Amino acid sequence: MRLLDNLYAYIWQGNDNNCNSYLIADALKDRKHLLVDPGHITTPFYREAGLDRLFREMESDGLNAEQIGLVILTHCHPDHCEAAKVIRDQDSALVALNQADVSMYKSQGGKVDLYLQEGDLVLGEHSKVRLEVFHSPGHSPGHITIYWPDEKVLVTGDVIFYRSTGRVDLPGGSAKTLKHSIERLSELDIEYLLCGHPYGHPGIIKGKNAVQENFEFIKRKVLL
Ligand SMILES: [Zn+2]
């Protein structure tokens, strides 16, 4: 589904758990695409075809999977990162993530091409897309969130959802750290909050007021 000129959202609609994926088309050299969080190849319980479904939906938007040039992983839980291996092998895409999640990723057989730290990430010829990477740990040690200031878009991964936050009981999780990460992100100027899962809501929160209201709700009712 097209959200903005070259920003696409793929909201997971299966029955099993899988993540939402987001794509910036033509962000890279040779009109290649950036994909954030490709999700599962096949979901673990109901065996739903996550990656095939993502590719089919991309195709119906006129986007070719072979044009994926870079996969950014917000973090390395399998429901976000599993399919990155396939895209790297099939389409020669590079895989990028934060170093603090690398052992988790390698233990799943993943290979890494680039490490992303907090700071600017400038993509494409003529610096077409300028992103800001935030290190946002708490759900996982190497969790990153991706901010696109020109479009006021924040891709949150599993840091925040509609009226809830990511789990902190998984290895390397910390409630205190997550709270700090969320407080930092709430200072950004955001029109589109793109969450990592469709938990009780598609996971796309539109409009500055709705985004702020969601942060306020989380700070008041969820973070203690
Ligand atoms: Zn996760």
Side-chain angles (χ1 to χ4, degrees):
M1 171 180 72
R2 189 182 202 168
L3 266 189
L4 291 170
D5 280 353
N6 50 350
L7 175 67
Y8 294 80
Y10 297 98
I11 303 303
W12 174 248
Q13 289 171 28
N15 297 307
D16 214 343
N17 178 54
N18 198 10
C19 73
N20 292 339
S21 303
Y22 299 99
L23 184 144
I24 303 177
D26 305 335
L28 308 163
K29 210 172 134 227
D30 301 327
R31 306 200 63 194
K32 294 221 168 195
H33 312 317
L34 160 65
L35 177 67
V36 181
D37 286 354
H40 273 301
I41 303 167
T42 307
T43 66
F45 300 107
Y46 302 133
R47 313 302 298 168
E48 292 170 310
L51 185 58
D52 283 352
R53 192 184 292 205
L54 172 64
F55 283 174
R56 259 203 320 276
E57 289 181 25
M58 280 175 57
E59 217 168 281
S60 69
D61 285 331
L63 299 167
N64 186 341
E66 287 167 18
Q67 280 293 101
I68 299 169
L70 176 64
V71 177
I72 293 181
L73 302 174
T74 59
H75 65 296
C76 292
H77 292 151
D79 56 339
H80 290 253
C81 73
E82 188 186 50
K85 286 177 272 192
V86 177
I87 299 173
R88 187 177 183 274
D89 289 348
Q90 280 181 5
D91 307 318
S92 309
L94 302 178
V95 173
L97 50 89
N98 182 269
Q99 197 136 19
D101 267 18
V102 74
S103 57
M104 200 191 316
Y105 189 54
K106 287 190 172 165
S107 72
Q108 299 166 64
K111 291 187 181 137
V112 186
D113 300 289
L114 298 166
Y115 290 110
L116 294 178
Q117 293 179 337
E118 173 139 337
D120 288 354
L121 178 65
V122 180
L123 301 173
E125 285 160 319
H126 316 298
S127 306
K128 209 163 156 191
V129 176
R130 192 179 67 83
L131 303 174
E132 291 175 18
V133 175
F134 285 84
H135 184 213
S136 305
H139 174 70
S140 83
H143 198 299
I144 51 175
T145 48
I146 312 294
Y147 183 53
W148 188 6
D150 288 347
E151 304 288 356
K152 299 183 180 176
V153 167
L154 180 71
V155 181
T156 73
D158 282 1
V159 173
I160 13 177
F161 305 115
Y162 176 70
R163 300 200 161 201
S164 70
T165 69
R167 292 170 60 175
V168 292
D169 59 328
L170 298 166
S174 157
K176 193 169 161 235
T177 311
L178 186 72
K179 185 176 178 198
H180 178 67
S181 294
I182 292 172
E183 278 165 356
R184 284 187 73 209
L185 297 175
S186 71
E187 303 292 317
L188 296 171
D189 184 8
I190 303 166
E191 288 284 344
Y192 290 85
L193 193 79
L194 308 182
C195 306
H197 288 278
Y199 291 154
H201 180 277
I204 296 177
I205 303 173
K206 274 191 220 174
K208 203 182 169 78
N209 290 342
V211 169
Q212 258 327 304
E213 193 272 334
N214 194 58
F215 274 115
E216 291 309 319
F217 181 92
I218 287 169
K219 286 182 190 172
R220 250 189 357 257
K221 303 264 170 85
V222 185
L223 299 175
L224 300 172

